Amino acid sequence: MGRTSSNYLAMVNLEPYGFAGSLEQIWLRPLDGNGYEVSCIPFRVYGLALNDVVRLDSEGKQIIEVLRPSGHRVFRVFLAPSLSVSESYEMRNSITRAIIDDALKSEWSGDRHVAIDVPLGREVGRVWPAIEHVAAEEKVYWEWGDVEPFHQ
């Protein structure tokens, strides 16, 4: 993504989103002034996306507010553990090809969870058909990262 040697790490408390006692690490790029730009694609926090400008707490350790949304959205896909190794491999390759064909950015967390950046005005045109048939069988779960607002 937009990570450089001057990037900064901060945390997001995931408790408001149903993950008690959990934090998500987010890469940020310092901006001139008080804000930081999100330089990664968030996996679990809601209401936060690539290139959003955020404010940190007084200690500079935790994101507490979105100052300016970028207009990007996050589309998340989780491959169910019930998939066989070969099914999981095939699905991962299919999703990755669709992401590349759609010229989208993505990040994988392990081999079952992908977060896809969808810029303003773009769609997951090839990604959705790649997962639609297995989503109906509950072998793949998906969601939009903006179904809830960011709150701390």
Side-chain angles (χ1 to χ4, degrees):
M1 294 313 107
R3 291 183 220 149
T4 66
S5 61
S6 65
N7 279 21
Y8 190 81
L9 285 173
M11 306 304 276
V12 175
N13 180 9
L14 296 177
E15 192 162 334
Y17 311 104
F19 298 100
S22 296
L23 300 170
E24 182 170 358
Q25 178 178 282
I26 302 291
W27 284 94
L28 303 170
R29 182 175 66 86
L31 300 174
D32 294 336
N34 290 334
Y36 292 82
E37 183 178 68
V38 174
S39 300
C40 65
I41 305 168
F43 277 92
R44 289 167 187 86
V45 64
Y46 289 94
L48 193 63
L50 183 66
N51 298 338
D52 284 356
V53 176
V54 299
R55 182 170 65 93
L56 303 181
D57 64 9
S58 60
E59 296 175 1
K61 295 184 183 212
Q62 196 165 1
I63 297 172
I64 58 171
E65 180 182 13
V66 175
L67 298 173
R68 188 176 67 241
S70 62
H72 289 232
R73 299 181 76 193
V74 179
F75 186 72
R76 300 179 184 134
V77 179
F78 179 75
L79 307 181
S82 62
L83 287 172
S84 70
V85 171
S86 62
E87 287 174 316
S88 178
Y89 179 79
E90 184 179 313
M91 183 55 49
R92 201 170 46 250
N93 286 340
S94 177
I95 292 168
T96 299
R97 279 192 308 274
I99 291 166
I100 291 168
D101 289 347
D102 277 343
L104 298 172
K105 295 177 182 177
S106 66
E107 295 188 35
W108 284 88
S109 176
D111 59 356
R112 295 191 175 273
H113 193 193
V114 63
I116 304 165
D117 173 56
V118 183
L120 185 63
R122 299 284 307 279
E123 297 180 6
V124 287
R126 291 178 180 93
V127 176
W128 177 247
I131 67 166
E132 182 178 21
H133 63 287
V134 290
E137 299 169 7
E138 295 187 354
K139 292 183 176 182
V140 169
Y141 301 95
W142 63 274
E143 71 175 356
W144 285 101
D146 56 1
V147 295
E148 289 185 40
F150 179 84
H151 48 81
Q152 287 298 287

